[in-house]
Amino acid sequence: MAASGKLASFRLPPMPTVSELIKLYNLRAEKHLSQNFLLDMKLTDKLVRQAGSLKDAHVYEVGPGPGGLTRSILNAGAKEAIVVEKDSRFIPGLKLLSEAAPGRLRIVHGDILTYRMDRGFLQNISKPWEEDPPDLHIIGNLPFSVSTPLIIKWLESMSNRTGPFNYGRTRLTLTFQREVAERLTASTGSKQRSRLSVMAQYLCTVRNCFTIPGRAFVPKPEVDVGVLHFTPLVQPQIQQPFKLVEKVVRNIFQFRRKHCHKGIEKLFPEACRAKLTQEMMQKADVDPTLRPTELTIPQIKALVDAYAHICNHEPNFLNYEFREELQLKNLSKQRNMPMDAFMDTPASTQPSSQQPC
Ligand SMILES: C[S@@+](CC[C@H](N)C(=O)[O-])C[C@H]1O[C@@H](n2cnc3c(N)ncnc32)[C@H](O)[C@@H]1O
C-alpha cells in the first residue's frame, strides 16, 4: 500500500489529454520539422520503460512536441526533465505540464543541434566514466530530419566525453526510421551492415527494443519506427580519435559490394596507393577480399590502427581525401587549368596523386 502511495506522489494530476491540448492550441503537424506525434500513453510508457528505472533520474528529452512522452517520463518518477523544442507553438502546452509537475520540468525553446547538453544539469549528478552510468538519460521520439546527424554528433561527443557525456556514460533511448534503426544495430555479415553500424557499435552497446508501426503516429509516417537503447562502453572497441575512425570506416564502406581493399586504397594518393594498401592490409592481418559488410569490429580496429601507424610516419595523408581530389581533377579538366589553382592548402601539405610517397 505504502509503495503505491509513493508511486502516486510523482504521477501527474488529472489534466487535458495530449489530443485535447492539440485541439485546444490548434496544433497542426509541420512536415519540415518531422512532426509525427505519439498520442497513445501505453506506447509512450513502453518507450520510456526501455530506459530502465527513471525514479529520481534526470532526463533530457528531444522534441517534446505536445508532450505525450514527457508525461510518461514524469509519471515514471524522473526528478527533473529538460525538454528542448524548436517549435514555439508547443511551449504554452508544455508550460501547463510544467505547472502540473512543479520544479520537475524545464522547457528550452531551442534547437537540439546547438543546445549545450553539458550545462543543463548540475555537475553533482556526474559519475566517473569507468563506473555505472549516471542517473541521466536522453530520451526522444526524434524528428527524422535530424536523427542521423544527431546520433553521429552524440557518438563523437561520446568518444570525446563531451556534451551530455561530460556527466559520464549517459544512456540514450531514441526512435529512428526503421531502416536507420536496422543499420545502427546490424551485425557483421548482415545486409544492413554499414558505416553507421560500426560507428555506433565500437562506442556503445546498442539494443533494439521494439518497433512502433507507422500507424501509431499522428500523422502516420511512410515508415515504421525502431526504438533503440544505447549504453556507452567503458572502453571503446577502437581507441583512436573519432575523426580518424570515421575517415577509415567511410572509405571502407564507400564500395559496399566490392572487396574491402577497394575502399581502403582510396585513403592514399594514387602514386603510393598500391604499396600502402598492401602494407596496411598486412599490418592489420585482414583478408583484402572480404566485403566491407563482412568485417568485424576487431578487424576494423586493426585497419584503423594500421592507418594511424602509417599516418604517424606521413601526417600529410591525414589531409588526403580521394573525393576532394576527384572533384579538383574534374574542375581542372573542365577549366583546363592545373589542379593547384583550385587548392586552399599549399600543394606541399596536400598529398596529390602525382606526388611521390
Ligand atoms: C517526431 S516529433 C515527436 C513529438 C513528441 N515527442 C511525440 O512523441 O509526440 C519531433 C519533435 O521534435 C521537434 N523538433 C524538430 N526539429 C528539432 C530540433 N532541431 N530541435 C528541437 N526539436 C526539434 C518537432 O517540432 C517535434 O515536436
Side-chain angles (χ1 to χ4, degrees):
M1 216 35 219
S4 63
K6 260 192 193 161
L7 196 74
S9 68
F10 53 67
R11 291 195 78 86
L12 294 164
M15 58 181 301
T17 64
V18 181
S19 307
E20 284 164 353
L21 276 185
I22 289 178
K23 272 198 199 124
L24 186 67
Y25 292 107
N26 193 20
L27 300 170
R28 233 169 263 154
E30 290 283 350
K31 211 170 176 180
H32 76 281
L33 287 173
S34 311
Q35 293 178 345
N36 303 100
F37 307 130
L38 271 178
L39 307 180
D40 178 348
M41 289 295 289
K42 277 198 198 113
L43 263 180
T44 54
D45 285 349
K46 182 174 175 185
L47 194 157
V48 163
R49 275 200 303 276
Q50 308 308 313
S53 169
L54 289 191
K55 176 117 180 32
D56 292 331
H58 295 78
V59 179
Y60 279 120
E61 192 201 346
V62 183
L69 206 53
T70 320
R71 290 176 189 224
S72 293
I73 291 168
L74 293 169
N75 280 333
K79 187 169 184 176
E80 193 178 7
I82 296 181
V83 296
V84 183
E85 174 56 60
K86 193 168 178 181
D87 187 343
S88 61
R89 296 175 308 147
F90 294 117
I91 305 300
L94 291 168
K95 280 191 177 148
L96 277 187
L97 203 51
S98 167
E99 282 158 21
R104 296 175 60 208
L105 181 62
R106 256 194 281 161
I107 303 157
V108 176
H109 176 211
D111 189 328
I112 193 63
L113 289 168
T114 50
Y115 174 70
R116 294 282 306 259
M117 293 181 97
D118 56 340
R119 292 188 175 171
F121 295 108
L122 293 177
Q123 274 304 322
N124 63 4
I125 65 164
S126 300
K127 283 267 185 77
W129 191 264
E130 294 69 25
E131 290 185 9
D132 284 344
D135 254 348
L136 170 62
H137 296 259
I138 300 175
I139 299 181
N141 171 18
L142 294 185
F144 289 162
S145 54
V146 296
S147 60
T148 306
L150 200 51
I151 191 67
I152 290 175
K153 178 179 145 91
W154 281 333
L155 290 171
E156 182 164 10
S157 306
M158 203 181 279
S159 139
N160 300 327
R161 303 184 187 180
T162 56
F165 307 99
N166 186 30
Y167 297 95
R169 293 188 296 123
T170 302
R171 288 160 289 179
L172 308 99
T173 308
L174 305 167
T175 60
F176 294 89
Q177 283 157 278
R178 188 176 178 163
E179 189 197 315
V180 179
E182 282 173 355
R183 280 197 266 138
L184 281 160
T185 49
S187 50
T188 304
S190 77
K191 218 170 65 198
Q192 289 87 355
R193 184 75 162 176
S194 66
R195 179 169 74 105
L196 216 45
S197 333
V198 175
M199 294 310 289
Q201 293 167 31
Y202 95 83
L203 286 162
C204 8
T205 306
V206 190
R207 179 166 54 90
N208 187 356
C209 304
F210 68 103
T211 301
I212 310 179
R215 64 174 184 279
F217 295 84
V218 180
K220 175 180 174 297
E222 304 275 298
V223 290
D224 292 344
V225 167
V227 179
L228 302 184
H229 181 77
F230 303 76
T231 310
L233 293 167
V234 172
Q235 192 80 270
Q237 294 199 63
I238 305 175
Q239 285 166 26
Q240 294 286 354
F242 184 86
K243 290 271 189 256
L244 190 90
V245 181
E246 208 274 330
K247 183 179 180 187
V248 175
V249 174
R250 175 166 34 87
N251 272 270
I252 291 176
F253 278 94
Q254 71 178 313
F255 305 112
R256 287 176 56 78
R257 291 169 202 275
K258 304 234 164 103
H259 293 158
C260 66
H261 70 89
K262 275 275 169 219
I264 289 169
E265 282 172 7
K266 305 297 186 286
L267 285 165
F268 305 108
E270 207 176 318
C272 44
R273 206 161 267 167
K275 175 177 159 272
L276 289 180
T277 304
Q278 195 186 17
E279 184 182 324
M280 183 166 152
M281 302 299 311
Q282 276 174 358
K283 201 166 181 44
D285 193 20
V286 171
D287 175 356
T289 65
L290 286 173
R291 315 269 163 194
T293 50
E294 291 170 332
L295 294 170
T296 62
I297 292 195
Q299 284 171 323
I300 293 177
K301 170 194 168 11
L303 287 166
V304 177
D305 287 345
Y307 179 65
H309 181 85
I310 292 171
C311 292
N312 272 343
H313 290 275
E314 188 44 89
N316 279 349
F317 289 148
L318 289 173
N319 298 326
Y320 177 74
E321 286 289 351
F322 168 71
R323 291 203 177 273
E324 277 172 22
E325 186 177 83
L326 209 61
Q327 277 169 1
L328 287 176
K329 260 188 189 165
N330 289 340
L331 213 60
S332 73
K333 237 191 228 163
Q334 274 170 20
R335 310 229 176 130
N336 201 17
M337 286 164 82
M339 265 172 64
D340 273 16
F342 303 99
M343 283 179 171
D344 290 338
T345 15
S348 59
T349 61
Q350 181 90 28
S352 82
S353 56
Q354 309 312 326
Q355 241 172 268
C357 301

